[in-house]
Amino acid sequence: MSEALVRAPEFPEGLTWLNSDRPLRLAEELRGRVLLLDFWTYCCINCVHMLPELRRLETEVADGPFSVIGVHSPKFDNERDPRNVRHALDRLDVAHPVVVDADRKVWSDYTVGAWPTMILVDAKGYVREEMRGEVPLDQLREKVLALLEEASD
């Protein structure tokens, strides 16, 4: 018996978005795209280790309907401040959109429990996979390409 798919929760309104000129919505700008939601925090070395891998993946599948969205979910109080997150994005060369999840609302909506956590959302808006920890690039690539192939059928 297969498990029922769960629709990805929409991003709450009122959150600060960095590297984006406006808040992004699953039902609007992101509709029809395969998404990798990267739940991270800049104080987590494992999260920081994943950033170059995500950059590589974004470059490799740049021509597909694929987006990485960072969800910065703080562990410590100073990480709640969007200015500190902005400094970290600049220092770590993060160019993809990042939502500042200061009160961990998105974290809670997606029932995340560890840093880093990557959640794959298919082009129809359903959560397809949750991966915790430092996920090898080959594994991420394989899963993303499979969802992109499925979306093109």
Side-chain angles (χ1 to χ4, degrees), residues 3-11 25-28 30-33 35 37 106 108-111 119-129:
E3 200 173 305
L5 294 178
V6 174
R7 182 147 308 271
E10 186 60 80
F11 295 111
R25 308 290 295 159
L26 296 173
E28 294 172 19
L30 300 173
R31 185 179 182 152
R33 302 186 68 77
L35 304 176
L37 304 180
V106 182
S108 177
D109 289 349
Y110 280 85
T111 64
I119 293 183
L120 288 176
V121 177
D122 69 18
K124 293 180 181 174
Y126 290 97
V127 172
R128 295 294 291 273
E129 182 120 20

Side-chain angles (χ1 to χ4, degrees), residues 38-108:
D38 175 32
F39 288 82
W40 71 294
T41 187
Y42 65 77
C43 77
C44 167
I45 192 64
N46 303 98
C47 297
V48 171
H49 286 166
M50 285 305 303
L51 294 172
E53 302 299 304
L54 296 177
R55 231 180 346 268
R56 248 180 245 117
L57 182 62
E58 286 178 284
T59 300
E60 288 178 16
V61 295
D63 59 344
F66 171 70
S67 297
V68 172
I69 306 292
V71 182
H72 188 271
S73 303
K75 183 173 184 177
F76 301 110
D77 283 343
N78 64 305
E79 296 172 305
R80 296 168 49 122
D81 186 333
R83 292 171 301 187
N84 293 340
V85 179
R86 164 52 59 209
H87 291 307
L89 297 182
D90 292 344
R91 185 179 72 248
L92 298 167
D93 193 29
V94 175
H96 57 253
V98 173
V99 60
V100 180
D101 188 25
D103 295 320
R104 288 204 250 166
K105 172 76 172 111
V106 182
W107 170 283
S108 177

